[in-house]
Amino acid sequence: MVAKISVSILLLLGLACKSSKPSSAISIEAAKANQVEVTQMMEALTSDDMAGRDSGTEGIEKAAVLLETAFKSYGVNPYFETYRDRLSNFDKATDNIVGVIPGTDPKMAEEIVLFGAHYDHIGKGKPNGTDDIANGANDNASGTTVVMQLAKYFAKRGGNKRTLVFALFSAEEKGLLGSKHLAQKMKAQGASLYTMFNFEMVGVPLVDKDYLVYATGYEKSNMAEVVNSVAAQKIVGFLPTAKEYNLFQRSDNYPFHEEFGVPSQTFSTFDFTNFEHYHGVGDEMELMDMAHMTELINTMAPVLEKVVNQAEQNIKYN
């Protein structure tokens, strides 16, 4: 089944009828995201038309079409024969959407840096009046939008020395099934993974923190130290509550940690005080902070670009 996505949404996003040929490299400033584009992607992913993006439904299929169309417009190639990666561990037909930008360095291109986020949600939830659609704005249209904007940034910039894979996972809400499937598949195919950056629930800013995002499993590797060193500022911090609730094992970074044994961590801004609509119908677009999301993308993109291009594999387990 291939669901149709509204042509008006594609036109709104500026995705329709564009060439898949990557643009020539441009400046960092010119490659950065703008708030209008961030808002448009979020609005499309959280529309009632997608019915909460439950895995194996027509709603998530519409989201899949949106994402693969966006990848094509950015000039991001399919990682497999197509952008679709059909899950082998879920009883309904549903797909990860996976793109790639090959590395330019003959040796470093063999190493993969993976950017991930899950794009599924729970579909419907406990009704609030007449509304029973759990649109999943923070969880995880926000992380999906960040990864898509990073893909667009890197495609515009060009020159990434390592190969970059951008994976949007289905069936995270069913037990990390999309990321488990892809991690096992990439491992079986002999992929050489350097590190994995995952984005989860980044739609609202942290409260009273001196950093932009926290990393789950902070103490397990030097990922935060490397990112902060490259940024020359503290943009990744430690959230004790994340360790208390063992968030390291509860998002799509974990299967890659298990399969590849390399630092694979999640960046998030959900701090258990700043958002009260987890898995509820109240997780709506209007509660998201678009200025914050745009700042996050534009702060992280050039920093992660430098990390990608470092000659040594500097991110290591402690």
Side-chain angles (χ1 to χ4, degrees):
M1 175 185 68
V2 178
K4 293 182 179 179
I5 185 167
S6 170
V7 173
S8 63
I9 291 178
L10 295 179
L11 291 172
L12 178 66
L13 289 168
L15 302 179
C17 303
K18 287 190 176 182
S19 169
S20 61
K21 182 179 179 181
S23 57
S24 299
I26 60 177
S27 70
I28 289 175
E29 287 303 313
K32 285 183 175 180
N34 67 69
Q35 190 169 322
V36 171
E37 290 182 348
V38 175
T39 302
Q40 288 171 342
M41 178 63 78
M42 284 290 291
E43 287 177 340
L45 287 169
T46 60
S47 69
D48 284 352
D49 191 45
M50 297 195 181
R53 306 188 308 280
D54 195 9
S55 299
T57 67
E58 183 178 351
I60 198 170
E61 171 62 21
K62 291 179 180 180
V65 172
L66 174 70
L67 297 174
E68 62 185 351
T69 304
F71 271 154
K72 185 176 182 180
S73 77
Y74 301 163
V76 175
N77 298 322
Y79 183 68
F80 300 109
E81 290 186 8
T82 72
Y83 297 106
R84 302 291 183 121
D85 170 40
R86 179 60 51 88
L87 270 60
S88 60
N89 54 0
F90 188 60
D91 58 0
K92 297 180 180 178
T94 194
D95 300 299
N96 296 328
I97 305 299
V98 191
V100 63
I101 302 177
T104 60
D105 183 273
K107 184 176 181 180
M108 292 169 65
E110 297 176 1
E111 302 165 359
I112 291 172
V113 174
L114 194 147
F115 299 89
H118 74 90
Y119 75 107
D120 68 308
H121 198 230
I122 63 170
K124 294 187 176 182
K126 182 180 179 181
N128 180 11
T130 60
D131 182 15
D132 65 350
I133 298 176
N135 297 102
N138 202 22
D139 184 17
N140 188 34
S142 63
T144 299
T145 296
V146 169
V147 170
M148 295 303 289
Q149 287 294 321
L150 289 174
K152 187 174 185 179
Y153 171 89
F154 279 106
K156 284 182 175 180
R157 286 283 291 157
N160 48 283
K161 294 180 180 180
R162 289 186 172 88
T163 293
L164 309 180
V165 172
F166 303 89
L168 293 313
F169 305 111
S170 186
E172 187 268 358
E173 303 289 1
K174 311 300 182 183
L176 310 182
L177 296 184
S179 51
K180 287 178 180 178
H181 164 86
L182 183 61
Q184 291 168 3
K185 186 173 182 177
M186 290 178 67
K187 180 69 172 179
Q189 293 180 349
S192 177
L193 184 66
Y194 165 30
T195 193
M196 191 267 199
F197 301 107
N198 192 56
F199 291 85
E200 173 92 36
M201 297 185 71
V202 290
V204 294
L206 290 161
V207 177
D208 297 328
K209 302 293 190 296
D210 63 350
Y211 48 87
L212 182 63
V213 300
Y214 66 85
T216 65
Y218 180 95
E219 71 286 358
K220 296 182 183 298
S221 81
N222 67 344
M223 179 182 286
E225 178 185 343
V226 170
V227 171
N228 290 337
S229 176
V230 168
Q233 60 177 312
K234 186 179 180 181
I235 61 176
V236 183
F238 170 65
L239 184 74
T241 317
K243 182 177 181 180
E244 178 184 346
Y245 284 92
N246 198 19
L247 296 190
F248 176 70
Q249 294 186 20
R250 295 175 61 184
S251 193
D252 291 305
N253 60 286
Y254 192 64
F256 292 91
H257 160 78
E258 284 192 305
E259 290 294 328
F260 288 93
V262 300
S264 306
Q265 291 165 254
T266 292
F267 294 142
S268 180
T269 63
F270 170 65
D271 66 7
F272 297 86
T273 71
N274 60 354
F275 191 73
E276 60 184 23
H277 301 284
Y278 176 70
H279 281 188
V281 299
D283 187 358
E284 300 277 11
M285 170 66 188
E286 54 262 29
L287 298 181
M288 300 297 98
D289 188 328
M290 293 298 99
H292 152 74
M293 283 189 59
T294 306
E295 177 192 8
L296 187 156
I297 294 162
N298 289 335
T299 300
M300 296 294 287
V303 173
L304 295 178
E305 181 179 22
K306 290 179 180 178
V307 173
V308 164
N309 289 330
Q310 288 179 323
E312 300 296 325
Q313 290 189 351
N314 290 324
I315 299 176
K316 303 178 185 297
Y317 282 120
N318 290 329

